Amino acid sequence: DVYKRQISGISNSFTISFDLKNLSTQNSNWNSILSLYSNNTTSGNGNSLQLQFNSSGALMLYNKVGGETSFGGANTGNTSSINTGLTSADLQRNTWTSFSIISDLDSNTLSVYVNGSLAGSITEWNPQSPALTGAQFGSAFGGGGHALLGSIDINNIKFYNEVVLPVPEPATTSLSLMGLAALMMRRRRA
């Protein structure tokens, strides 16, 4: 199923965060996971950001691919992409991965965070019409050849009308060491 919604009230900097879990045994050719739209559009190829896998299997956030206008209405510039550092094989089955996409107009940056850590940014980010007007999970461009080819679960979808930096997830090793230290302190007191 495709989740598609019109959005209102987000007209400047914004943050979208969500958790994704791979439910499929398929490790390649997933195509599009998310599309974000501007300029009163809610689908189609123009005025969009797309989180999708490229032909090499890398998960990328594209600010428009092709000959139409990019997010915010620019016809030139603003056509960069951000490599998230993930591939379809990295999204292991039944494991949650957290994403945050942040459009910060005060610092002119578009950033992607994966599990609370910065994956990449576009600098000199300056969309002409920065209002977020639509979101679609599971397919980009209204489907046309970019449909999601696999099964995913999306949870904790949040839209903010401001920059909200994600909290990095603690490493398992750090938590284990803290637990061991607490246990040793407890044993000393006993």
Side-chain angles (χ1 to χ4, degrees), residues 2-16 32-52 61-65 68-74 101 103 110 125 127-148 159-160:
V2 173
Y3 170 88
K4 179 178 171 181
R5 290 291 180 259
Q6 185 170 357
I7 299 168
S8 62
I10 299 181
S11 58
N12 207 335
S13 296
F14 66 83
T15 301
I16 176 174
S32 297
I33 293 176
L34 168 68
S35 296
L36 299 173
Y37 298 99
S38 64
N39 282 338
N40 294 316
T41 56
T42 56
S43 66
N45 196 9
N47 297 300
S48 61
L49 293 167
Q50 296 110 25
L51 183 64
Q52 68 185 54
L61 179 69
Y62 291 105
N63 182 32
K64 203 40 236 84
V65 289
E68 296 186 40
T69 55
S70 62
F71 185 89
I101 299 170
S103 172
L110 175 68
W125 172 248
Q128 294 171 354
S129 300
L132 182 62
T133 58
Q136 184 172 327
F137 285 91
S139 181
F141 321 146
H146 295 275
L148 181 67
F159 295 91
Y160 301 95

Side-chain angles (χ1 to χ4, degrees), residues 49-60:
L49 293 167
Q50 296 110 25
L51 183 64
Q52 68 185 54
F53 291 96
N54 67 13
S55 59
S56 301
L59 184 58
M60 308 288 289

